[in-house]
Amino acid sequence: MDWNLVISSLGPLWGGALLGTIPLSLASFALGLVLALLLALARMSSIVPLAALARLIISIVRGTPMLVQLFVIFYGLPSIGVVLPPWPSAIIALSINVGGYAAEVIRAAILSVPAGQWEAGYTVGMSRVTTLRRVILPQAARVSVPPLSNTFISLVKDTSLAATILVTELFREAQRIAAFSNEFMLIYIEAAAIYWIICLVLSTAQGRIEKRLDRYVAHA
Amino acid sequence: MDWNLVISSLGPLWGGALLGTIPLSLASFALGLVLALLLALARMSSIVPLAALARLIISIVRGTPMLVQLFVIFYGLPSIGVVLPPWPSAIIALSINVGGYAAEVIRAAILSVPAGQWEAGYTVGMSRVTTLRRVILPQAARVSVPPLSNTFISLVKDTSLAATILVTELFREAQRIAAFSNEFMLIYIEAAAIYWIICLVLSTAQGRIEKRLDRYVAHA
Amino acid sequence: MSPTPESASAPLLRTTGLRKSFGSLEVLKGIDLAVPRGRVLVLIGPSGSGKTTVLRSLNALEVPDAGVIELEGEALDFAAPASKKERQRQRETLRDASGMVFQHYNLFPHRTVLQNVTEGPIVVQGRPRAEAEAEATSLLERVGLGDKRDVYPFQLSGGQQQRVGIVRALALKPKLLLFDEPTSALDPEIVGDVLTIMKQLAEEGWTMVVVTHELGFAREVADEVLFLDGGVIVERGAPQQLLRDPRQPRTRAFLDRLLRPLD
Amino acid sequence: MSPTPESASAPLLRTTGLRKSFGSLEVLKGIDLAVPRGRVLVLIGPSGSGKTTVLRSLNALEVPDAGVIELEGEALDFAAPASKKERQRQRETLRDASGMVFQHYNLFPHRTVLQNVTEGPIVVQGRPRAEAEAEATSLLERVGLGDKRDVYPFQLSGGQQQRVGIVRALALKPKLLLFDEPTSALDPEIVGDVLTIMKQLAEEGWTMVVVTHELGFAREVADEVLFLDGGVIVERGAPQQLLRDPRQPRTRAFLDRLLRPLD
Amino acid sequence: GSGSGGDSAGASASPKAGRSLEQVQKAGELVIATEGTYRPFSYHESGSGPLTGYDVEVATAVAKKLGVKAKFQETQFDAIFAGLGAGRFDVIANQISVNAEREKKYDFSTPYSVSPGAVIVRSDSDITGLADLKGKTTAQSLTSNWYQVAQDAGANVEQVEGWAQALELLKQSRVDATVNDKLTFLDAKKNGETDGLKIAADTDDVSKSAITLRKGSDTLTAAIDKALAELAADGTLAKLGEKYFGQDISK
Ligand SMILES: Nc1ncnc2c1ncn2[C@@H]1O[C@H](COP(=O)(O)OP(=O)(O)OP(=O)(O)O)[C@@H](O)[C@H]1O
Ligand SMILES: Nc1ncnc2c1ncn2[C@@H]1O[C@H](COP(=O)(O)OP(=O)(O)OP(=O)(O)O)[C@@H](O)[C@H]1O
Ligand SMILES: [Mg+2]
Ligand SMILES: [Mg+2]
């Protein structure tokens, strides 16, 4: 094994992770969650066209490869005059994806809160929105941490697709080094190890958050 | 828009879907579920090293890009004398992935069945294994259909990565047609539409299965 | 119509011809009742007879299909078609006036006992936190939960949770307290703790509508008992009369089943 | 139905010095009891006193830390360290001998009523399907559920579900029937349906251990009543004596709270 | 789709229209798409250093002749034509082979690299030329003309991501040959990456690579052609060829 290559590539690979993969993941996840909540609420709305629209969006986002979504946003939109730089394009595509997947998670989590909690909120005098915000969502959050962290982990790996639209991140760096050295196996495994480390950190964070949110739940 | 190209590419694209994407997805999903069940049971086992091993496998599978997993299996294993053809390599990589993701789904679903159901099984004289098989899993199945269908839909799109290890499927056909016609955007969108159709069929199937499994549940 | 001979002034709440269907199932078939200020009305009746639906209508958790609810003289008419805004106003009127105690407590699991109680006063009524907390604390002390202020509901027994449920309703200072089988999810030996507190509230002059199977409580505390069956008030009267010597055979059969299950 | 009419000399089941702790909490502190063939033992006691744990030990859902359970003369010793296989054998011995009815029914929600009942006989006992189904059907008819054979549990009321729970236990033809508060999750007016069936079973000669708060049932049906508190049997005796005139102050206090919750 | 046809907005805002020399000069930069992962044509010095390579240096020199800065955008091959079509780039410099199909859709400069193909096989192979590929399996990437050449020779073509994978498959005996630039092979050989492999034969075909532009980039194409001619004349192209391949590859 070419240890020199392994070591000399650590710098650029981590650089790609820290300057590309990680900020891209964080920004897209944050925006994606907001979008997911809106989509979930729209999907549960009693306004039929709104619900149908949300369904359609979720279905297209989940049903088509993200690579194509990236292509359409970055290379397709200019044909209607919308020219977005790489980073905004990537963040939009990634957060739409998070939105599509997480919307279903959030919807299920909201539905998992017993109906009695809505009623308790109303009875205390809260409006629908206040009950949602102060009673339902905090409880839904607990249920949705594990599936959302799945979404997050998938997202981290999906950021590698942003390389196709000129964003330099971990995977792109790996490709460059691999192309130069033709040692693609070695470099890809090294990159995978870095992805793994990022995901382990995420899992640890997930554990912490779950524990925090579990403080008000009886344990078996 | 180049309608001739759109129409002439339908044949090869659907060919790729029917001979590649779909059988690959089905085979990997079936195998992956079996693996997932084993991993989930191992992870819940009271035998500490077994549980730790399952955790490690799940963590690596989920934490590293599937492209790298495919490469390791296809291009890496020959260096230790294991030369697998493209299809088996792809099925192995994809089902390991399904296994890693679905293991957590299945574990959560099993844990969601009330403890009283285990006890009812024991009380009727069943062993642990019989209770698992006849009481717990059928109920866990109901809970896990929505998240598993998410996994399936992701899988369908992930099969496109098998193109990198010489498996001819929808995306590889799209790349080939696009490269020869230089109409990447058009062909990719066409391919995306086909992925979408496949996913819509899956969602419909999901709805049917959910309905079937819901027959023994009261509705709000 | 109104069975409140001793009250001269208008009742706090009165319903006339309340009807409610779920799909094709008519659950309330014209309910007339009146709750004078400071009195306790007890609803009894078999499962599915519509008791919960009556309470939920009074708390605007259900919108009746027809009938009038009169609250302190203001009539809310549910037969007339109303705008969304009008329905909203009706809902708020009823909800502001009443507090509800549920069979399964429905405490907010993610909030401490104190937060459960102050959520309404602070968030909805906009009262100062310090004031709301002081008041909540003294209410909690009254029901013997002074030391549980800062724990979460799951750390409480069923009886303690239900006492928090009552305090949460009281903290809103509603004109009317509604109880839906508040003790039927409790361990039998703990039932007494909750009933005792309800009895004290009645003695203090709170106006209450209580759905319960605890006939002892009804006998001691109710001013009037209504027997519901099939969405209709079959019989109503003072507890001594109705519980001991019902006029209607359906009432008698129901009471017999309850009192002597093994016969 | 086939109770086991054998020589009434030795008790069917006897426990000696049964102990069980959960972590540092000692829940059973040496329980001695005996259940003669064809008799009904009723356990009463406050919440947390260990009643459920006693039943679960008899059904091998818990493994006692110490003590002996003697079943038809065969002694299962839980104090002695035992191999996994030996514990397994003890578990099977106890489970084969007993059937359990749970407070929350614990029916299999994904199986029809008939399948719930035949699951044990067919899958575990390996009896022919036709025979098992015929027997299950006749048992279901006996408890008034002949027409519910093919519906799912969610389509039944609580009382109906509990009757299925009882039939599911009976179908295994156990020597001993265990009931853990079988009526406390039921609507009060439905309680009677289930108690009546249990009374019939007692009259037919089934050997039963029943945890219940239904003192009327205990009075009428029990051969012996045990009062448990803090993991200890505080008092035992014939129902007439123990329920009407308990010797121990703790027993008296408990019965008072149950009978007069408002005092 | 936006790859071709369906013209929308007008004037210079439209990505569909070709770029004019004037526009480029006004912008002060020539935006050049390249993969950055195709040694020795377009790659990063030691993997993570600055972008370099034969195509990169040629394009830089061309930009200089035009009096503008060279601005490289690195993208994957999948996206390179889509990006050009969308107006993300002015030109592509990435060993794009000129062929009839592409000429219908794009403008090309005069070629700046001309390379014969080579049939690359394992040392013990009995394949001796293109003709022997009939019924054999070759690994080809979609980037170049060699895919077509192998297919026309009757080979069973496996499409791969790139040269590295093709080499790997060949070494692992999973394919029988790969047809590629001779130049690429020689570069790999220099780096000791071709142990156990050999060139069975050169092809008759040559692959001509040129700078690729959107249709209608007439003035820009003319200017680039002129620049390339000057670079040929002043020996720059020959020098770059020497640097990377030890020979002039521009004709
Ligand atoms: N949201 C609803 N949708 C459909 N049917 C309903 C709904 N709520 C109640 N019902 C039905 O209305 C009838 C009356 O219900 P209600 O809960 O008022 O009875 P109850 O007297 O409170 O009974 P219980 O003693 O069991 O609580 C029942 O048949 C019930 O199934
Ligand atoms: N699996 C367990 N782990 C820890 N503690 C337990 C467990 N099971 C029971 N306990 C505790 O043991 C004590 C006795 O429980 P048990 O369920 O036997 O009481 P019980 O008399 O049946 O009460 P109830 O009337 O409330 O059903 C309680 O304090 C209970 O919290
Ligand atoms: Mg009710
Ligand atoms: Mg118990």
Side-chain angles (χ1 to χ4, degrees), chain E residues 26-181:
Chain E
K26 203 166 142 203
E29 62 182 22
L30 182 66
V31 183
I32 305 153
T34 193
E35 278 185 283
T37 52
Y38 190 9
R39 199 191 71 200
F41 304 103
S42 168
Y43 68 102
H44 285 262
E45 197 75 74
S46 63
S48 54
L51 181 67
T52 185
Y54 178 77
D55 289 35
V56 170
E57 293 208 40
V58 169
T60 309
V62 166
K64 203 167 165 195
K65 288 278 179 203
L66 299 184
V68 296
K69 224 176 84 213
K71 182 181 175 193
F72 288 95
Q73 296 279 27
E74 286 176 65
T75 185
Q76 290 173 348
F77 186 73
D78 275 6
I80 225 162
F81 287 103
L84 183 68
R88 291 273 173 194
F89 329 118
D90 300 328
V91 303
I92 305 172
N94 195 66
Q95 284 292 297
I96 303 296
S97 312
V98 183
N99 64 32
E101 183 68 27
R102 285 177 182 157
E103 282 184 308
K104 279 188 239 159
K105 290 190 172 116
Y106 302 100
D107 284 350
F108 284 96
S109 70
T110 48
Y112 57 86
S113 89
V114 178
S115 163
V119 180
I120 300 156
V121 296
R122 282 182 298 281
S123 305
D124 58 1
S125 172
D126 46 15
I127 293 171
T128 57
L130 264 183
D132 291 340
L133 291 183
K134 196 172 177 64
K136 293 287 202 300
T137 306
T138 72
Q140 305 296 148
S141 68
L142 286 166
T143 329
S144 69
N145 264 2
W146 305 119
Y147 189 110
Q148 194 67 47
V149 169
Q151 205 167 41
D152 292 347
N156 175 13
V157 177
E158 288 288 8
Q159 107 200 20
V160 294
E161 295 285 284
W163 167 240
Q165 280 91 328
L167 273 188
E168 198 68 34
L169 288 173
L170 190 54
K171 286 182 189 170
Q172 291 175 356
S173 306
R174 293 166 121 163
V175 296
D176 303 308
T178 178
V179 183
N180 216 309
D181 274 335

Side-chain angles (χ1 to χ4, degrees), chain E residues 143-221:
Chain E
T143 329
S144 69
N145 264 2
W146 305 119
Y147 189 110
Q148 194 67 47
V149 169
Q151 205 167 41
D152 292 347
N156 175 13
V157 177
E158 288 288 8
Q159 107 200 20
V160 294
E161 295 285 284
W163 167 240
Q165 280 91 328
L167 273 188
E168 198 68 34
L169 288 173
L170 190 54
K171 286 182 189 170
Q172 291 175 356
S173 306
R174 293 166 121 163
V175 296
D176 303 308
T178 178
V179 183
N180 216 309
D181 274 335
K182 193 170 179 182
L183 296 174
T184 314
F185 181 82
L186 292 176
D187 175 69
K189 187 167 184 174
K190 197 169 73 191
N191 285 281
E193 293 158 1
T194 57
D195 293 351
L197 304 182
K198 66 174 185 189
I199 292 180
D202 288 355
T203 62
D204 300 333
D205 287 296
V206 292
S207 160
K208 295 180 182 174
S209 300
I211 289 175
T212 313
L213 302 89
R214 273 192 304 285
K215 272 272 183 241
S217 308
D218 301 348
T219 52
L220 186 56
T221 307

Side-chain angles (χ1 to χ4, degrees), chain C:
Chain C
M1 180 201 92
S2 165
T4 50
E6 64 267 34
S7 172
S9 60
L12 174 69
L13 179 132
R14 179 201 298 279
T15 75
T16 323
L18 226 49
R19 292 178 168 273
K20 177 74 186 173
S21 299
F22 294 109
S24 61
L25 180 72
E26 192 170 15
V27 172
L28 299 186
K29 299 177 182 163
I31 299 291
D32 301 333
L33 57 80
V35 199
R37 279 198 177 72
R39 296 298 160 86
V40 176
L41 197 73
V42 164
L43 294 183
I44 61 173
S47 181
S49 57
K51 307 180 298 293
T52 294
T53 308
V54 169
L55 280 198
R56 290 168 59 87
S57 300
L58 300 185
N59 197 229
L61 290 172
E62 304 287 357
V63 181
D65 300 329
V68 176
I69 300 182
E70 230 174 290
L71 190 76
E72 298 188 298
E74 184 189 357
L76 310 173
D77 187 349
F78 291 95
S83 65
K84 249 189 159 166
K85 216 173 136 191
E86 173 60 13
R87 282 273 177 269
Q88 181 63 29
R89 205 192 51 77
Q90 292 179 336
R91 199 162 15 220
E92 278 167 18
T93 308
L94 287 175
R95 278 211 194 123
D96 289 353
S98 59
M100 176 84 124
V101 177
F102 299 91
Q103 176 176 11
H104 292 287
Y105 336 134
N106 290 359
L107 298 185
F108 303 130
H110 59 304
R111 303 247 186 257
T112 64
V113 165
L114 183 70
Q115 289 167 342
N116 261 277
V117 177
T118 57
E119 188 76 7
I122 296 175
V123 176
V124 179
Q125 301 182 334
R127 293 168 53 192
R129 170 174 303 272
E131 182 194 310
E133 289 189 346
E135 216 172 278
T137 306
S138 90
L139 281 171
L140 285 169
E141 273 160 9
R142 261 209 47 194
V143 302
L145 294 174
D147 55 334
K148 300 290 186 186
R149 268 182 47 140
D150 299 315
V151 307
Y152 286 94
F154 81 90
Q155 294 164 292
L156 300 178
S157 75
Q160 292 170 330
Q161 290 192 48
Q162 192 56 296
R163 282 181 271 161
V164 176
I166 294 174
V167 169
R168 181 173 68 177
L170 291 180
L172 295 162
K173 303 188 184 160
K175 296 182 177 114
L176 177 65
L177 282 173
L178 306 170
F179 294 82
D180 191 5
E181 305 202 31
T183 61
S184 66
L186 298 180
D187 277 331
E189 340 120 54
I190 295 168
V191 166
D193 301 348
V194 171
L195 290 181
T196 304
I197 286 164
M198 290 170 61
K199 188 178 165 189
Q200 288 166 7
L201 294 176
E203 283 161 1
E204 285 168 21
W206 286 85
T207 312
M208 295 161 53
V209 179
V210 182
V211 172
T212 186
H213 287 287
E214 293 289 334
L215 300 186
F217 174 85
R219 211 171 289 122
E220 270 195 57
V221 181
D223 293 293
E224 191 187 22
V225 178
L226 269 60
F227 174 64
L228 234 78
D229 197 5
V232 175
I233 297 179
V234 173
E235 184 165 1
R236 63 180 89 206
Q240 290 75 11
Q241 179 265 310
L242 189 139
L243 297 178
R244 211 151 288 165
D245 185 26
R247 269 182 282 258
Q248 302 293 330
R250 270 150 83 191
T251 317
R252 186 179 300 276
F254 172 76
L255 291 172
D256 277 355
R257 262 209 313 286
L258 218 57
L259 293 170
R260 282 180 293 277
L262 269 176
D263 294 349

Side-chain angles (χ1 to χ4, degrees), chain A residues 220, chain C residues 187-189, chain D residues 20-23 25-28 44-56 62 103 180-181 211 213 228 231:
Chain C
D187 277 331
E189 340 120 54
Chain D
K20 177 72 186 177
S21 299
F22 293 111
L25 179 72
E26 193 171 15
V27 172
L28 300 186
I44 61 172
S47 180
S49 57
K51 308 181 294 296
T52 294
T53 308
V54 169
L55 280 198
R56 290 168 59 86
E62 304 287 356
Q103 177 177 9
D180 191 4
E181 306 200 31
V211 173
H213 287 289
L228 234 78

Side-chain angles (χ1 to χ4, degrees), chain B residues 117 119 122-123 134 216, chain D residues 56 59 107 110-111 119:
Chain B
Q117 289 293 313
E119 302 191 340
Y122 295 157
T123 285
R134 294 195 56 94
Y216 59 79
Chain D
R56 290 168 59 86
N59 197 231
L107 298 185
H110 59 304
R111 303 248 185 256
E119 188 77 6

Side-chain angles (χ1 to χ4, degrees), chain D residues 210-256:
Chain D
V210 182
V211 173
T212 187
H213 287 289
E214 293 291 334
L215 300 187
F217 174 85
R219 212 172 288 122
E220 269 195 57
V221 182
D223 294 292
E224 191 185 22
V225 178
L226 271 60
F227 173 65
L228 234 78
D229 196 3
V232 176
I233 298 177
V234 173
E235 185 166 357
R236 64 179 90 205
Q240 291 74 9
Q241 179 264 311
L242 189 139
L243 297 178
R244 210 152 288 166
D245 184 27
R247 267 182 284 258
Q248 301 292 331
R250 272 151 82 190
T251 317
R252 184 178 303 278
F254 172 76
L255 291 172
D256 278 356

